[in-house]
């Protein structure tokens, strides 16, 4: 697990309280969620931008779960993209959106936006109730990744130590990543 995403995935997993079951749509990355997915779940993976998240090719209320992992900063119309994820989500289904707040420009094919927790809440509010909305980051991690970008992707050992502490220490006013877990109500 990467240093800058460790706490995010742990907090999302804790918010779920049970493994993801049923039908799951993963947009541009579901691997970091595999430990949270029941082995009997049916997972469909699509890749943005090959698949247009603004116009998903699925019928209304098709999925029990929709996961977009580090996608929203790359879409030209995030409001429309989030709306599409809720359109294909069954009532009572759960959407998980993760994205960056502090990150260097990274084209895929474009890099348009940065989101705060409040921005993610605002995007999801018309469709859902929030189960978890959080952020992770700290000044030391920001300084470390600005000094040496390769530190962002270093793997964490299973034992306690400086890297594990850095990956779990959080200063909410210095987010690197933000996320939301939201249940569709409308």
């Amino acid at each position: 697990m990467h240093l800058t995403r460790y706490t995010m995935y742990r907090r999302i997993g804790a918010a779920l309280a049970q493994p993801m079951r049923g039908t799951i749509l993963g947009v541009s990355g579901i691997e970091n969620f595999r430990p949270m997915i029941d082995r009997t779940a049916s997972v469909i993976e699509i890749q943005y931008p090959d698949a247009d998240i603004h116009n998903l090719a699925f019928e209304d209320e098709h999925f029990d779960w929709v996961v977009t992992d580090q996608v929203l900063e790359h879409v030209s119309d995030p409001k429309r993209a989030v709306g599409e994820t809720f359109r294909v989500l069954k009532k009572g289904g759960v959407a998980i959106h993760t994205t960056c707040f502090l990150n260097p420009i990274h084209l895929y094919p474009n890099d348009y936006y940065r989101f705060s927790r409040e921005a993610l809440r605002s995007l999801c509010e018309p469709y859902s109730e929030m189960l978890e909305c959080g952020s992770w980051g700290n000044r030391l991690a920001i300084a470390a990744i600005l000094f040496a970008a390769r530190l962002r992707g270093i793997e964490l050992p299973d034992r306690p130590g400086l890297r594990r502490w850095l990956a779990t220490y959080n200063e909410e006013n210095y987010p690197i990543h933000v996320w939301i877990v939201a249940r569709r109500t409308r």
Side-chain angles (χ1 to χ4, degrees), residues 1-4 145 149-155:
M1 181 65 54
H2 291 176
L3 177 127
T4 64
I145 62 177
R150 65 183 172 79
L151 291 176
R152 176 182 299 277
I154 64 170
E155 297 295 320

Side-chain angles (χ1 to χ4, degrees), residues 69 111 180:
D69 194 15
D111 192 346
I180 192 165

Side-chain angles (χ1 to χ4, degrees), residues 58-168:
F58 301 100
E59 61 190 56
D60 294 355
E61 299 187 39
H62 184 78
F63 295 97
D64 298 293
W65 301 84
V66 175
V67 177
T68 69
D69 194 15
Q70 306 299 306
V71 175
L72 293 178
E73 69 268 25
H74 300 290
V75 301
S76 61
D77 188 346
K79 187 173 184 176
R80 183 172 173 189
V82 167
E84 271 295 283
T85 66
F86 280 101
R87 180 188 65 77
V88 301
L89 191 62
K90 294 175 184 174
K91 288 186 179 139
V94 175
I96 302 170
H97 299 290
T98 74
T99 189
C100 59
F101 183 84
L102 179 64
N103 210 37
I105 298 293
H106 55 291
L107 303 177
Y108 186 69
N110 297 300
D111 192 346
Y112 293 106
Y113 298 100
R114 296 298 181 262
F115 298 90
S116 64
R117 290 183 314 263
E118 293 74 19
L120 288 182
R121 280 189 198 113
S122 177
L123 288 170
C124 295
E125 204 168 48
Y127 314 99
S128 65
E129 68 173 318
M130 184 190 65
L131 302 177
E132 161 78 12
C133 187
S135 63
W136 175 86
N138 61 68
R139 287 174 281 188
L140 188 56
I142 291 168
I145 62 177
L146 289 175
F147 178 70
R150 65 183 172 79
L151 291 176
R152 176 182 299 277
I154 64 170
E155 297 295 320
L156 290 177
D158 290 331
R159 64 188 186 286
L162 180 61
R163 282 187 279 175
R164 172 101 34 204
W165 175 84
L166 185 60
T168 56

